Amino acid sequence: MRQRVSMTINGTNYEHEVEPRLLLVHYIREQAGLTGTHVGCDTSNCGACTIEMDGHSVKACTVFAVQANGSQLLTIEGLAQGTQLHPLQQAFWDEHGLQCGYCTPGMIMAARQLLARNPDPTEKEIRMGIEGNLCRCTGYHNIVKAIQAAAKVMGEGAERKAPATAPSARRD
Amino acid sequence: MIPAAFDYVAPRSLPEAVADLVKHGSEAKVLAGGHSLIPLMKLRLSTPSFLVDIGRIQDLSYIREADSHIALGALTTHHEIEFSELVKARLPLLQQAAAQIGDAQVRNRGTIGGAAAHADPNGDFPTCLLALDAELIAVGPRGERSIKAQDFFVDTFTSALEPAEILREIRIPRPPSASSGTYLKFSRRSQDWAIVAVAAQVSLREGRVERVAIGLTGMGPRPLRAAAAERALTGKAVAPDALREASAQAADGTQPPEDLNGSPEYRRHLAAVLTRRALEAITGSK
């Protein structure tokens, strides 16, 4: 039996009728049309589908859409303010914290939770903090550097302007 | 991977949830955090036709200190346990175990009640609850009952819960002040289940071991207590030799499984080494 669900994603309300077995990651990508959240392993290992649900990072491949009924969600598309990237996005850009980029949205969402709980992490704490996110290019070195750089910027409370070469993070 | 189709309800109270389970019998499953059940459903190893989501029931998520015990609501997440000052101060064993389960995202969703009810012999919380002599409070069609941890974990993925019973609360006796514990987990990769883990709690009095509990993860079809090692150490003065002798008996009487991670002998060795390290860490004697 289909169920009506309603949830807020990045400040916009979405309402649909869904099968109870629909996974949240498929709801976000196919019903809400927000394809920044990726499906990687589909077994709750790789973290490519990491989003925030009511303030907690979750793997959207291991949550049913009906469980998110009434929730506030944040996905990678909700981080930038217009053309100004979030400090984590900017740091991944500056430090080249990606190779193929497939894991990047999940990495950034996981890093956001990590820095919210521990604003000044050590390198080891960063590596442990992103243990739920796999980079199959094995580009961890620059990912860790990017998170360190973002922690510094966010700690200073600095509002950095995105350079003119940075792409808009908003979908048209 | 798409699970088989099912119907879904999200009751607002425990009596409603129990009534749903009674109505749908063995076709129904309880959904809490879902981080054991949903992966099994995606692999179609579990195909319930009805899910009772207890995640919207109020007042099942808490950590409270009572006179005789510390009470944890069944929906308390691993994250909440990991970050609880009360648990860190009074039950460091449980806090350390919580911090080593899965990863941050999994810990945000997984619940202690779900982990207990799932009764995975390689799970971390079942062993902790066994070592801490926890009581598990279940609600069913005939009312509420308390089940001791030693009776709760029956076999691999099998708990003492009746089909229409739901875990409501977990009670852990308050350890005496001169008591401490630790959870040491051995796995080869981050995020992995334990190959072997040891949950140890030691109470000291005047330099002697008044009471010791050693729980073993991954050493059999359910969490086990290292009874021989416990007996060997109880009443002994804390000294490196006594800890070593007791630890050497940690795997006595167990029949650990063989799998890709290692042989039974390898697991017995791990159990002894981890037990020694745990006892040394707790007592400060080396």
Side-chain angles (χ1 to χ4, degrees), chain B residues 2-24:
Chain B
I2 311 295
F6 58 87
D7 278 331
Y8 167 93
V9 286
R12 298 288 165 154
S13 73
L14 273 174
E16 272 179 77
V18 169
D20 285 324
L21 289 177
V22 169
K23 193 170 150 196
H24 294 275

Side-chain angles (χ1 to χ4, degrees), chain B residues 7-71:
Chain B
D7 278 331
Y8 167 93
V9 286
R12 298 288 165 154
S13 73
L14 273 174
E16 272 179 77
V18 169
D20 285 324
L21 289 177
V22 169
K23 193 170 150 196
H24 294 275
S26 60
E27 293 295 301
K29 273 269 188 194
V30 175
L31 176 65
H35 273 51
S36 299
L37 181 58
I38 295 174
L40 289 175
M41 289 175 66
K42 290 171 73 175
L43 293 167
R44 303 212 180 188
L45 294 171
S46 179
T47 53
S49 62
F50 199 83
L51 278 194
V52 180
D53 181 0
I54 60 171
R56 291 178 196 275
I57 299 175
Q58 299 293 308
D59 301 326
L60 281 180
S61 174
Y62 53 83
I63 301 169
R64 295 182 196 134
E65 193 161 23
D67 288 343
S68 61
H69 62 266
I70 291 159

